[in-house]
């Protein structure tokens, strides 16, 4: 396993449009507009976790939308994301971090405008698998010992449990390579995931038919690196390994944006 950033291994917007980058790639002008990049965050985060990635992508001429993930369950969250995808014009690259990988895997099914999937320290479940199942299948996750469960009641009288990461454990668990002050802000602003979302089984997997890229984080304490490698290999994804925490989009935004752009160029 790579000690730092590994080599990439090839195994296999609304109404916005962007001009082709003919200065750096003369052939780009013949490929049509750049795709809109749609970013789906995961549990214990929000759309601001993509800020550094968004800045790089926008600088390079890509339209970008960072979706708000409800974090209620893969099926309902995928439906919410699909409604946004259906509103965007032109080709799309879907990017999912962590649990967001489960969401994009379902949201992209049957949508030909989704040209590539990019998984960032993410789940790539097969039908019948859940996030919790895949996490427990391999050693290395310490997430369960850091969680703070909060019961809630629905309007219909049913109840559930939201999961947060305890704020004093957030940086070590989720963002060890992020500056302490920024990790503290992320801990305070984290969005909880419904406990039931982690046991809900996937019903479809767009990575079986859509070209996929995967960033594997080798210092991850949420999703074990071995689990990430297993899922990436099974999906025949173009894989990049990096010595990073689960919060790789914050600690290595240039790397993440670079992989997204590779996926975008390869599918244009």
């Amino acid at each position: 396993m790579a000690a730092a950033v590994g080599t990439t291994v090839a195994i296999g917007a609304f109404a916005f449009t962007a001009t082709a980058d003919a200065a750096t790639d003369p052939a780009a002008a013949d490929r049509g507009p750049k795709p809109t990049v749609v970013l789906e965050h995961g549990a214990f985060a929000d759309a601001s976790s993509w800020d550094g990635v968004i800045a790089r992508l926008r600088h390079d001429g890509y339209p970008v939308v960072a979706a708000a993930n409800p974090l209620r369950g893969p099926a309902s969250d995928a439906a919410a994301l699909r409604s946004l995808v259906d509103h965007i014009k032109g080709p799309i690259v879907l990017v999912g971090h962590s649990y967001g990988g489960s969401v994009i895997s379902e949201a992209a099914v049957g949508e030909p405008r989704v040209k590539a999937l990019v998984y960032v320290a993410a789940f790539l479940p097969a039908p019948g698998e859940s996030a919790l199942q895949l996490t427990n299948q391999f050693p290395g996750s310490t997430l369960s010992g850091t969680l703070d469960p909060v019961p809630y009641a629905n309007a219909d009288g049913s109840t559930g449990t939201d999961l947060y990461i305890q704020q004093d454990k957030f940086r070590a668990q989720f963002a060890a390579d992020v500056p302490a002050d920024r990790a503290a802000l992320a801990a305070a602003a984290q969005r909880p995931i419904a406990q039931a979302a982690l046991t809900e089984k996937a019903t479809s997997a767009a990575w079986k038919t859509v070209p996929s890229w995967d960033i594997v984080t080798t210092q991850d304490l949420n999703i074990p690196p071995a689990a990430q490698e297993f899922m990436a290999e099974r999906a025949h994804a173009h894989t990049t390994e990096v010595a990073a925490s689960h919060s790789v989009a914050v600690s290595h935004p240039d790397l993440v944006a670079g992989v997204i752009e590779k996926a975008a160029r390869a599918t244009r």
Side-chain angles (χ1 to χ4, degrees):
M1 190 173 291
V5 177
T7 57
T8 301
V9 182
I11 306 178
F14 299 99
F16 300 149
T17 58
T19 57
D21 190 4
T24 57
D25 184 358
D30 297 327
R31 299 180 192 156
K34 289 181 177 178
T36 298
V37 177
V38 178
L39 304 165
E40 181 84 336
H41 67 81
F44 319 116
D46 63 15
S48 69
S49 60
W50 295 112
D51 283 355
V53 175
I54 294 169
R56 165 72 179 272
L57 293 172
R58 287 176 58 85
H59 177 270
D60 293 344
Y62 287 89
V64 186
V65 178
N69 190 346
L71 302 173
R72 300 297 89 186
S76 62
D77 295 341
L81 179 59
R82 183 60 177 262
S83 67
L84 175 62
V85 167
D86 289 345
H87 184 69
I88 294 170
K89 301 184 187 305
I92 294 167
V93 173
L94 273 184
V95 183
H97 172 241
S98 190
Y99 164 81
S102 297
V103 178
I104 68 170
S105 293
E106 295 206 25
V109 172
E111 177 45 79
R113 291 181 304 113
V114 176
K115 303 301 183 182
L117 300 169
V118 181
Y119 295 90
V120 181
F123 290 107
L124 292 74
E129 294 177 340
S130 70
L132 184 61
Q133 173 189 341
L134 287 162
T135 298
N136 291 341
Q137 193 171 327
F138 300 86
S141 176
T142 57
L143 177 62
S144 62
T146 69
L147 293 175
D148 183 16
V150 178
Y152 65 86
N154 294 306
D156 63 2
S158 61
T159 60
T161 301
D162 268 340
L163 299 177
Y164 294 82
I165 294 177
Q166 297 170 44
Q167 289 197 31
D168 61 345
K169 297 180 179 178
F170 185 92
R171 188 185 184 212
Q173 176 62 39
F174 195 86
D177 53 356
V178 173
D181 56 346
R182 188 165 185 184
L185 292 174
Q190 66 179 294
R191 296 186 61 183
I193 188 167
Q195 186 175 39
L198 300 179
T199 58
E200 182 180 321
K201 294 180 179 180
T203 59
S204 55
W207 49 260
K208 291 187 175 184
T209 56
V210 181
S212 299
W213 280 254
D214 198 329
I215 297 173
V216 172
T217 42
T218 64
Q219 296 179 353
D220 201 314
L221 297 180
N222 273 34
I223 307 176
Q228 295 183 47
E229 291 170 346
F230 163 75
M231 291 183 282
E233 182 177 354
R234 180 175 63 179
H236 303 293
H238 306 264
T239 302
T240 299
E241 292 189 354
V242 56
S245 74
H246 194 62
S247 192
V248 62
V250 178
S251 61
H252 293 77
D254 287 348
L255 170 76
V256 174
V259 171
I260 294 169
E261 293 186 17
K262 285 181 182 179
R265 289 194 298 269
T267 54
R268 287 177 67 194

